[in-house]
Amino acid sequence: MITEEQVRESLGEVLVPGIKRSLASLNLVREVTFLLNRGVKITLASAALSSGEQDWVKTKAKEVIEKLPEVNKVEVEFAEGKPAELNKISHTFAVMSGKGGVGKSLVASLAAVVLKRQGYEVGILDADITGPSIPKMFGITTRPTGSDSGILPVLSKSGIAIMSINLLLPSEDDAVIWRGPLISNTIKQFGNDVLWGKLDYLIIDLPPGTADAPLTVMQSFPISGVIIVYTPQDLVDMIVRKAVNMAQKMDKSILGVVENMSYFYVPEIGKKIELFGKSRGEEMAKAANAPLLAQLPIDPELAKLCDEGNIERYDAEIMSNFGKSFSEAISTKAN
């Protein structure tokens, strides 16, 4: 006899047009009911699906279920559902710093890439509304699809779900000249109105500082932990402590710290040159009372891949080390 598990597993083969994620991964399968005479009734949420997408999904869902043995009839109906009610995100991490230009977007992107390579379902929310750079690094220019009931994020080449204000602007060069309340409302919408579906990890790339936008994220999202990014200049101690203090006052745990632009490696002489001063990794880790997750070098190859929109192709040794320390920090926190 056919089971609900078999039905749901088959529905996992149906990919939603545009985003190419399954009904199961988007958490759109709401109910499976067995009818008389070997009939199956499937109720799907209509969130973020246009009428055309609903018709396509309905047809495909019927096709895959009709192939199951002992099924004589299939009914598919849609019920209203809000993205906020459907989203099921296990862990949400915020990447922050007290100042700009230290590489928060880079660290957020690399963190998402290493988690995706480990087999997790991952998303990135670009909360830097006035300075978004995530789509550029992933080479994404596709506009998100959706309906009045929600928005579908765009998938990267490796399958990372991404939402950024730059994907909604007429041109990526358009400036977002908004006051704080409008920026805060947009960030909230990216959490409530975007259909993220089922994710193991959502990485939020914060704008610099400790003002409106970071505060909105801390208050509006169930933050599992904070990753603090800095560079090894003398003034960084004060900057890191500001970020640490904000996280602590918001009762958010610090997952770890990342030192960006830590050194430049010259292969011809086999030497690391600390262009911005001596590494302060251990010192900053102690200040944050959290592990040092990575010391990222100034790597021309990484810069080139980011400019080309191919950050997912970066495969230096630092990536495996970062992935390992990141996973250990997550595991430690969970325990």
Side-chain angles (χ1 to χ4, degrees):
M1 181 178 178
I2 188 173
T3 65
E4 180 175 341
E5 183 180 357
Q6 288 175 297
V7 173
R8 288 181 176 272
E9 184 176 340
S10 295
L11 291 173
E13 301 174 14
V14 180
L15 303 182
V16 174
I19 190 172
K20 299 300 181 183
R21 286 179 66 192
S22 71
L23 295 175
S25 68
L26 287 172
N27 204 28
L28 290 175
V29 183
R30 308 317 299 151
E31 187 176 9
V32 175
T33 307
F34 294 100
L35 309 174
L36 295 176
N37 300 319
R38 297 179 180 178
V40 178
K41 180 180 178 181
I42 301 163
T43 303
L44 304 174
S46 61
L49 300 182
S50 66
S51 58
E53 289 170 333
Q54 290 182 38
D55 291 340
W56 191 92
V57 165
K58 182 177 182 178
T59 299
K60 291 298 179 181
K62 291 184 66 174
E63 287 179 0
V64 298
I65 301 305
E66 286 171 349
K67 292 179 182 178
L68 293 173
E70 303 181 6
V71 174
N72 293 332
K73 179 183 178 182
V74 179
E75 297 179 9
V76 180
E77 68 175 13
F78 284 91
E80 292 185 2
K82 297 179 180 180
E85 299 168 348
L86 301 172
N87 290 336
K88 190 175 181 181
I89 301 169
S90 299
H91 304 282
T92 301
F93 294 123
V95 180
M96 71 178 299
S97 176
K99 69 183 294 294
V102 299
K104 291 180 300 299
S105 297
L106 176 67
V107 171
S109 299
L110 292 179
V113 171
V114 297
L115 289 171
K116 186 64 181 178
R117 288 178 182 174
Q118 292 172 5
Y120 296 109
E121 290 298 321
V122 186
I124 303 177
L125 191 164
D126 189 353
D128 194 350
I129 303 299
T130 59
S133 57
I134 297 292
K136 172 69 175 177
M137 288 191 285
F138 284 87
I140 295 176
T141 57
T142 306
R143 291 181 66 83
T145 60
S147 66
D148 291 341
S149 59
I151 304 171
L152 289 169
V154 178
L155 279 194
S156 71
K157 300 178 186 71
S158 68
I160 298 171
I162 294 175
M163 177 53 63
S164 171
I165 191 66
N166 245 27
L167 299 176
L168 301 174
L169 299 175
S171 170
E172 66 176 14
D173 297 328
D174 288 352
V176 178
I177 309 173
W178 295 348
R179 294 189 182 277
L182 186 53
I183 291 175
S184 296
N185 287 337
T186 301
I187 293 173
K188 291 178 184 178
Q189 284 185 291
F190 281 176
N192 295 328
D193 296 343
V194 173
L195 182 61
W196 297 100
K198 295 179 180 178
L199 291 179
D200 297 305
Y201 297 99
L202 177 64
I203 308 295
I204 303 181
D205 178 25
L206 292 178
T210 55
D212 284 356
L215 184 61
T216 296
V217 170
M218 296 292 188
Q219 292 178 329
S220 305
F221 292 82
I223 302 298
S224 306
V226 174
I227 301 169
I228 295 179
V229 185
Y230 67 94
T231 52
Q233 286 96 338
D234 288 340
L235 59 80
V236 77
D237 183 49
M238 176 186 68
I239 300 301
V240 169
R241 292 184 188 280
K242 285 181 180 293
V244 169
N245 287 337
M246 179 181 185
Q248 291 175 339
K249 288 180 178 179
M250 301 300 297
D251 199 26
K252 306 299 180 183
S253 64
I254 299 173
L255 186 69
V257 298
V258 175
E259 183 174 80
N260 190 30
M261 302 183 227
S262 182
Y263 59 88
F264 177 71
Y265 179 69
V266 184
E268 289 79 6
I269 61 175
K271 185 176 181 181
K272 295 179 180 179
I273 300 177
E274 297 175 322
L275 296 177
F276 295 108
K278 185 178 180 180
S279 171
R280 306 182 69 185
E282 296 303 326
E283 180 183 346
M284 292 303 101
K286 184 177 181 180
N289 193 27
L292 176 63
L293 299 178
Q295 291 173 291
L296 302 178
I298 299 172
D299 188 345
E301 176 62 19
L302 176 56
K304 179 174 178 289
L305 290 173
C306 289
D307 289 342
E308 295 174 347
N310 289 317
I311 191 172
E312 290 161 293
R313 291 172 55 186
Y314 188 57
D315 200 26
E317 183 181 357
I318 185 66
M319 288 294 282
S320 59
N321 294 336
F322 182 27
K324 182 179 179 181
S325 61
F326 195 13
S327 297
E328 288 176 351
I330 293 171
S331 177
T332 299
K333 181 182 179 302
N335 294 330

